[in-house]
Amino acid sequence: MAAGVGALLDGEYFENNCKTIIEIREYTAEKLKQMGFTLTQSKANFLFAASKDIDGKTLYLRLKEKGILVRHFDKERLTDYNRITVGTKEQMDILISAIKEITEVSL
């Protein structure tokens, strides 16, 4: 809790961190859209993304095999989507590359 309080007390750090997350979220969303993904609107530190080329559970499992963890929900209205937490740009580039590999093989 002390770290959280400290971060909130340092307004400049907090603002810069939020700005970075927003930039990386938008960058990732654009890359996913270019690959044909559908995304819900997000103002948070994650994206909900679905592909017309591969179902959500299969993508989740294939990413997991590669050591990349996203969240998948078996609820009917969410089953096509995966919840992708925004990481560093490098982490998101690794995710995008892995998804490209997976979807190219699945097509």
Side-chain angles (χ1 to χ4, degrees):
M1 285 194 322
V5 170
L8 291 174
L9 292 175
D10 185 347
E12 183 178 349
Y13 168 82
F14 180 79
E15 291 298 322
N16 287 335
N17 197 39
C18 287
K19 181 180 174 191
T20 299
I21 290 169
I22 291 167
E23 288 171 358
I24 296 171
R25 182 188 68 222
E26 296 305 316
Y27 166 82
T28 305
E30 185 58 34
K31 293 289 187 184
L32 289 169
K33 287 176 188 175
Q34 290 172 5
M35 293 172 17
F37 277 76
T38 300
L39 289 92
T40 62
Q41 291 284 52
S42 178
K43 298 291 182 189
N45 67 336
F46 63 87
L47 297 164
F48 269 115
S51 172
K52 61 180 171 37
D53 298 323
I54 187 170
D55 68 88
K57 187 164 191 171
T58 300
L59 180 59
Y60 160 75
L61 292 172
R62 299 286 305 281
L63 286 170
K64 188 176 178 182
E65 289 171 3
K66 294 179 172 289
I68 299 171
L69 301 178
V70 298
R71 296 251 347 243
H72 179 75
F73 302 93
D74 285 324
K75 304 250 187 228
E76 186 176 334
R77 52 185 260 208
L78 297 176
T79 194
D80 292 333
Y81 288 84
N82 285 301
R83 182 191 186 278
I84 301 168
T85 301
V86 176
T88 64
K89 186 171 180 301
E90 178 183 35
Q91 290 169 332
M92 303 318 287
D93 284 337
I94 291 168
L95 170 78
I96 296 298
S97 292
I99 291 173
K100 284 180 181 177
E101 287 176 25
I102 292 165
T103 56
E104 286 172 5
V105 170
S106 297
L107 298 177

